[in-house]
Amino acid sequence: MGCSGCRVRFNFGKALSKVSVFLTMVLIFTYFFYCLSGFCHSAPRTFYRQQTLDYDVLDGDRRVLDELRPPARLLPSANRTDAEQVDAQGELRPLSAKEGIQSSGMPVSNTFGTKRFPQAIIIGVKKGGTRALLEFLRIHPDVRAVGAEPHFFDRFYDRGLEWYRTLMPRTLDGQITMEKTPSYFVTKEAPGRVCTMNCQTKLIVVVRDPVTRAVSDYTQTLSKNPGLPSFQSLALKNSSNGLIDTSWSAVRIGLYAKHLENWLQHFPLSHFLFVSGERLVSDPAGEMGRVQDFLGLKRVVSDKHFYFNQTKGFPCLKKPEGSSRPRCLGKSKGRPHPNIPTEVLQRLRDFYRPFNHRFYQMSGQDFGWD
């Protein structure tokens, strides 16, 4: 009788153990099914955590704009006017999870936050330091920016403002949406188009000694096309008379005063901030302080974020948010410049001098290039 009781207790315990294992397996499979259905990511996450900055990936020259194109169903209809596309707050209706386009890389639900037109745009100039400025700004928790250059106001304007807005990252109230496309500054139609979107847009222009900028521009092109003619043959119309060829884009971009005149027909000077590309290298925290003030942001980006990389010759980020390792801009930044004859560089300096002085007067800043 005692043995029978032992067997009963043993069988009961064994059965109870099997039931526990079964229930545990049911819970595990239920959890996996729950996650596979996408509900694990529905809870809001911390918005003030910036994504890890990998500058080799973020380099505008290596990003493909087509990856950001929304589905055809999101493009504006043919009978919709620009005025109908733009509302007073610049807000877009919340998209469904299937419609959402997560261009900012933020680890949040697609239905959280709002896609807005940029309140500030870095409009120029090429090879002035625009990529560095944008990546420094992305450290700030109240800045959300498109990584690639949208080129909307110069190349893709016919796709409509609604298409442009779908490229923007989602933001919360109090956060600033930004993008940067340096070719806007030299595009004749860009100022009017930006003003059509919002004439209150803040505009940032990163400028650099136009001679150094032209050489840097040439160096970048040469890296992609080794068979390019020499710098002097492109910069000069005729080597004997020394006339500068302003039809060459590397020279034309440096005529800052002429390009600014075009923008001032649509925007007051108070809407511009001119950032020194040289000071962005020598004193990044100081220039970033000016930028944050201009954007109405708290001064978060400071000296503690930077260190100077002797090899590359420009400042890098000590520890970008979300990363334990220092980060520098990609391999396309900081290339060694080719040797240019001194007399050619001097001719360029003489050519740019009156334009530089005019730009100093217009901007109210002496950048000391002469």
Side-chain angles (χ1 to χ4, degrees), residues 14-87:
K14 190 175 181 180
L16 184 61
S17 177
K18 288 183 177 180
V19 170
S20 298
V21 171
F22 175 77
L23 290 176
T24 301
M25 294 301 293
V26 169
L27 288 173
I28 291 173
F29 280 112
T30 301
Y31 177 78
F32 275 105
F33 178 80
Y34 186 78
C35 287
L36 288 173
S37 300
F39 293 102
C40 287
H41 302 287
S42 61
R45 302 187 186 182
T46 302
F47 280 86
Y48 291 100
R49 179 184 176 186
Q50 192 76 3
Q51 67 187 69
T52 299
L53 300 177
D54 187 340
Y55 294 111
D56 287 333
V57 175
L58 290 173
D59 195 322
D61 295 332
R62 302 169 71 179
R63 291 291 297 271
V64 181
L65 183 66
D66 288 342
E67 293 178 358
L68 295 175
R69 290 180 181 173
R73 65 180 178 276
L74 293 181
L75 296 178
S77 60
N79 59 356
R80 184 184 297 168
T81 65
D82 284 349
E84 291 171 323
Q85 294 171 19
V86 184
D87 55 35

Side-chain angles (χ1 to χ4, degrees), residues 211 232 235-244 341-353:
V211 177
Q232 50 267 39
L236 304 178
K237 289 182 179 180
N238 189 313
S239 57
S240 60
N241 57 30
L243 291 177
I244 303 298
T342 304
E343 59 271 20
V344 175
L345 296 177
Q346 188 57 51
R347 286 177 181 177
L348 269 177
R349 294 198 180 283
D350 294 340
F351 166 76
Y352 278 124
R353 186 170 293 108

Side-chain angles (χ1 to χ4, degrees), residues 76-125:
S77 60
N79 59 356
R80 184 184 297 168
T81 65
D82 284 349
E84 291 171 323
Q85 294 171 19
V86 184
D87 55 35
Q89 290 76 32
E91 294 188 356
L92 181 66
R93 65 172 178 82
L95 301 179
S96 68
K98 292 183 179 179
E99 290 176 317
I101 299 173
Q102 197 167 340
S103 61
S104 69
M106 290 174 61
V108 296
S109 170
N110 282 338
T111 58
F112 224 92
T114 306
K115 287 178 178 279
R116 296 180 174 90
F117 289 120
Q119 298 99 317
I121 303 177
I122 301 172
I123 61 174
V125 299

Side-chain angles (χ1 to χ4, degrees), residues 205-242:
V205 187
V206 188
V207 289
R208 181 184 183 188
D209 183 331
V211 177
T212 308
R213 197 222 64 83
V215 175
S216 181
D217 197 339
Y218 172 79
T219 303
Q220 182 182 58
T221 307
L222 184 64
S223 69
K224 300 175 182 178
N225 182 12
L228 197 67
S230 67
F231 179 89
Q232 50 267 39
S233 64
L234 293 170
L236 304 178
K237 289 182 179 180
N238 189 313
S239 57
S240 60
N241 57 30

Side-chain angles (χ1 to χ4, degrees), residues 323-342:
S323 174
S324 60
R325 298 181 301 169
R327 296 287 185 187
C328 285
L329 295 176
K331 295 178 181 178
S332 66
K333 311 301 179 183
R335 294 189 187 97
H337 290 177
N339 291 323
I340 310 295
T342 304

